[in-house]
C-alpha cells in the first residue's frame, strides 16, 4: 500500500500511531528522533513521512528543511499538537498539517489521499492546430 516513516518522540504515541497505520495496511518504520529519521530516510525511501514539530534533538521545522533537500521528493505530513506553527514558511513545503487528536481518522484519510495522488497518472494532451 505505502511505506511510511513515522517520527514521534513520545513512545506511547509512536506505538499508537504505528499500530493504527499498520492496521490500515501500511508498512511503517517508526523512530523517536529527527536524527534517527535522517539516518534512515535515504535507506527506507518512504512514500510519506509523518512527523511532529517538537522533538528533543532537532525540531520538525529544521527536519523539514533537511528533508526537502533530498533529491527524492517525499510527501510530508506534519502531525502536531501545536496550531501555532502552521503559518511558518517551512510549512509551504509540506503536503499536510494535521492537529493531533485521539481520533486518527483525519491522519489516516490524509495519508490515503496523498498516496492516491502519487499513484495517479497525469495525462497532458497536446492539440495540433
Amino acid at each position: 500500500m505505502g511505506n511510511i516513516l513515522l517520527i514521534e518522540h513520545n513512545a506511547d504515541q509512536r506505538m499508537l500511531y504505528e499500530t493504527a497505520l499498520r492496521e490500515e495496511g501500511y508498512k511503517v518504520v517508526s523512530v523517536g528522533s529527527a536524527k534517527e529519521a535522517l539516518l534512515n530516510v535515504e535507506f527506507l525511501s518512504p512514500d510519506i513521512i509523518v512527523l511532529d514539530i517538537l522533538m528533543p534533538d532537532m525540531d520538525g521545522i529544521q527536519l523539514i528543511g533537511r528533508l526537502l533537500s533530498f533529491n527524492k521528493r517525499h510527501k510530508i505530513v506534519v502531525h502536531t499538537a501545536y496550531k501555532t506553527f502552521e503559518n511558518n514558511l517551512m510549512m509551504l513545503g509540506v503536503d499536510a498539517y494535521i492537529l493531533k487528536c485521539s481520533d486518527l481518522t483525519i491522519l489516516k484519510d490524509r495519508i490515503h489521499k496523498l498516496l492516491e495522488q502519487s499513484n495517479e497518472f497525469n495525462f497532458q494532451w497536446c492539440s495540433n492546430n
Side-chain angles (χ1 to χ4, degrees):
M1 251 190 107
N3 297 324
I4 298 173
L5 175 59
L6 172 68
I7 308 146
E8 171 59 58
H9 74 279
N10 181 294
D12 292 334
Q13 288 180 342
R14 185 170 61 246
M15 187 170 53
L16 173 71
Y17 303 150
E18 182 177 349
T19 300
L21 293 171
R22 284 188 181 187
E23 287 173 355
E24 294 292 312
Y26 301 115
K27 180 181 174 190
V28 181
V29 173
S30 63
V31 297
S33 72
K35 288 182 181 176
E36 285 179 279
L38 289 171
L39 290 173
N40 287 288
V41 72
E42 288 260 5
F43 172 73
L44 298 172
S45 191
D47 300 306
I48 295 187
I49 299 171
V50 178
L51 62 98
D52 196 357
I53 293 289
L54 297 180
M55 291 183 271
D57 56 350
M58 174 190 310
D59 69 43
I61 294 169
Q62 292 170 310
L63 178 58
I64 290 166
R66 300 276 300 270
L67 292 171
L68 292 174
S69 70
F70 284 96
N71 289 334
K72 183 178 188 283
R73 174 68 169 101
H74 306 281
K75 301 274 184 183
I76 300 173
V77 175
V78 173
H79 189 233
T80 184
Y82 302 95
K83 186 172 175 57
T84 56
F85 295 102
E86 74 179 331
N87 293 323
N88 184 293
L89 287 176
M90 287 305 290
M91 295 308 139
L92 293 173
V94 305
D95 299 284
Y97 190 97
I98 301 169
L99 292 177
K100 288 183 179 178
C101 173
S102 59
D103 180 0
L104 297 177
T105 303
I106 294 171
L107 176 64
K108 292 187 284 188
D109 286 349
R110 178 58 71 173
I111 289 170
H112 181 75
K113 287 178 184 169
L114 287 171
L115 286 171
E116 275 183 346
Q117 289 172 359
S118 64
N119 290 331
E120 289 177 0
F121 189 85
N122 295 316
F123 289 95
Q124 290 186 329
W125 298 97
C126 135
S127 63
N128 295 324
N129 292 353

